[in-house]
C-alpha cells in the first residue's frame, strides 16, 4: 500500500513542481500550540491550548445546570474568564441544547460532562465546535481545542505560539459542525 501510494504521489509532486502550479493558497495554515481565540458573537479574547492528546474540545464553564426545554435536554452555564485583550474579568451566561454527553475516564476515575455547540474565531474564520463544559479555573487555558477542532484548522506546530490573531466579524466564513467530516484516523 505504501509503495503504491509513493508511486502515485512522486509523479504528481514532480508535475506540480515542474509546472509551477503549487500555489501558496493550497498549503494548510499552521497554528501554534497556544493561540488566541474569541467566543462568538461575544468577542471575548481567550488563550486556547491546541491539544492533540484530547479528542473533544473543552471550555471553561461554571454553575452548570441541566434542564428540559420542549422535551429536549439543555444546559445553562456561565463562562467567567479574563479577557486577554483588556485584562478584565468578564462573565456571560449561556443556554445551549446538549449536543451529546461525554464519559471521560482518567487517573481520577470517570467524569460525566455535557457537550454543547459553541462558535469560536481562529484567525479570520469562525468554527462551530462541540465543547465539553468543565470548570477550568485551576488550568492555564480556559479553552482546550482537541483533535476534532484541530483537524479543521490546519497544521499544528508545537514549537510556535500565537501565530494568528482572531479577526472575525459577522461576515467571516463559518465552518458549521454539521458539515464536518472527520478523518478516519482521528480516533472517534
Amino acid at each position: 500500500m505504501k509503495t503504491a501510494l509513493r508511486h502515485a504521489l512522486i509523479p504528481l509532486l514532480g508535475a506540480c513542481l515542474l509546472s509551477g502550479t503549487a500555489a501558496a493558497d493550497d498549503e494548510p495554515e499552521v497554528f501554534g500550540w497556544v493561540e488566541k481565540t474569541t467566543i462568538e458573537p461575544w468577542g471575548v479574547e481567550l488563550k486556547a491550548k491546541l491539544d492533540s492528546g484530547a479528542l473533544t474540545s473543552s471550555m471553561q464553564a461554571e454553575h452548570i445546570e441541566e434542564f428540559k426545554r420542549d422535551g429536549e435536554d439543555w444546559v445553562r452555564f456561565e463562562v467567567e474568564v479574563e479577557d486577554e485583550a483588556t485584562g478584565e474579568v468578564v462573565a456571560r451566561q449561556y443556554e445551549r441544547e446538549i449536543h451529546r454527553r461525554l464519559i471521560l475516564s482518567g487517573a481520577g476515575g470517570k467524569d460525566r460532562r455535557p457537550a454543547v455547540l459553541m462558535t469560536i474565531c481562529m484567525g479570520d474564520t469562525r468554527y462551530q465546535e462541540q465543547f465539553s463544559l468543565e470548570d477550568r479555573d485551576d488550568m492555564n487555558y480556559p479553552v482546550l481545542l482537541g483533535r476534532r477542532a484541530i483537524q479543521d484548522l490546519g497544521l499544528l506546530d508545537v514549537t510556535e505560539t500565537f501565530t494568528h490573531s482572531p479577526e472575525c466579524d459577522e461576515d467571516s466564513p463559518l465552518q458549521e459542525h454539521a458539515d464536518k467530516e472527520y478523518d478516519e484516523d482521528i480516533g472517534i
Side-chain angles (χ1 to χ4, degrees), residues 54-59 66 73 75 98-106 109-117 129-134 136 144 146 148 177 182 187-188:
L55 180 60
T56 303
S57 299
S58 180
M59 179 177 290
E66 295 187 26
D73 293 329
V75 64
I98 295 176
H99 181 71
R100 70 186 185 111
R101 296 181 186 281
L102 300 176
I103 300 174
L104 303 160
S105 298
K110 289 188 177 186
D111 188 18
R112 297 175 188 276
R113 296 184 204 154
V116 299
L117 296 180
E129 295 292 336
Q130 55 178 303
F131 287 90
S132 70
L133 302 177
E134 173 187 20
R136 298 179 59 83
L144 181 141
R148 287 186 172 121
H177 182 268
Y182 295 114
I188 295 177

Side-chain angles (χ1 to χ4, degrees), residues 11 16 18 28 39 88 95 122 139 143 159 182 188:
C16 287
L18 290 174
I39 300 174
E88 294 179 48
E95 290 183 356
M122 296 288 290
M139 299 183 191
V143 174
T159 66
Y182 295 114
I188 295 177

Side-chain angles (χ1 to χ4, degrees), residues 9 26 32 34 56 92 101 122 124 145 170:
L9 290 177
D26 294 339
V34 178
T56 303
R92 183 168 178 179
R101 296 181 186 281
M122 296 288 290
D124 61 357
L145 298 177
E170 61 274 354

Side-chain angles (χ1 to χ4, degrees), residues 105-168:
S105 298
K110 289 188 177 186
D111 188 18
R112 297 175 188 276
R113 296 184 204 154
V116 299
L117 296 180
M118 298 286 288
T119 302
I120 61 167
C121 170
M122 296 288 290
D124 61 357
T125 304
R126 296 175 298 149
Y127 298 89
Q128 184 184 51
E129 295 292 336
Q130 55 178 303
F131 287 90
S132 70
L133 302 177
E134 173 187 20
D135 186 346
R136 298 179 59 83
D137 267 346
D138 60 342
M139 299 183 191
N140 292 330
Y141 307 102
V143 174
L144 181 141
L145 298 177
R147 292 189 304 274
R148 287 186 172 121
I150 295 169
Q151 175 184 310
D152 285 346
L153 294 176
L155 299 178
L156 174 57
D157 184 342
V158 297
T159 66
E160 295 290 331
T161 58
F162 307 118
T163 61
H164 297 271
S165 295
E167 298 175 2
C168 296

Side-chain angles (χ1 to χ4, degrees), residues 1 3 7 9 22 36 64 70-71 80 82 90 98 120 127 132 139 146 169-170 174 180-181 183 185 188:
M1 175 71 174
T3 304
H7 287 286
L9 290 177
K36 289 189 180 174
I64 300 167
D70 298 326
E80 182 180 89
E82 180 179 335
V90 295
I98 295 176
I120 61 167
Y127 298 89
S132 70
M139 299 183 191
D169 59 28
E170 61 274 354
L174 172 64
K180 290 178 82 95
E181 292 183 24
D183 185 286
D185 295 328
I188 295 177

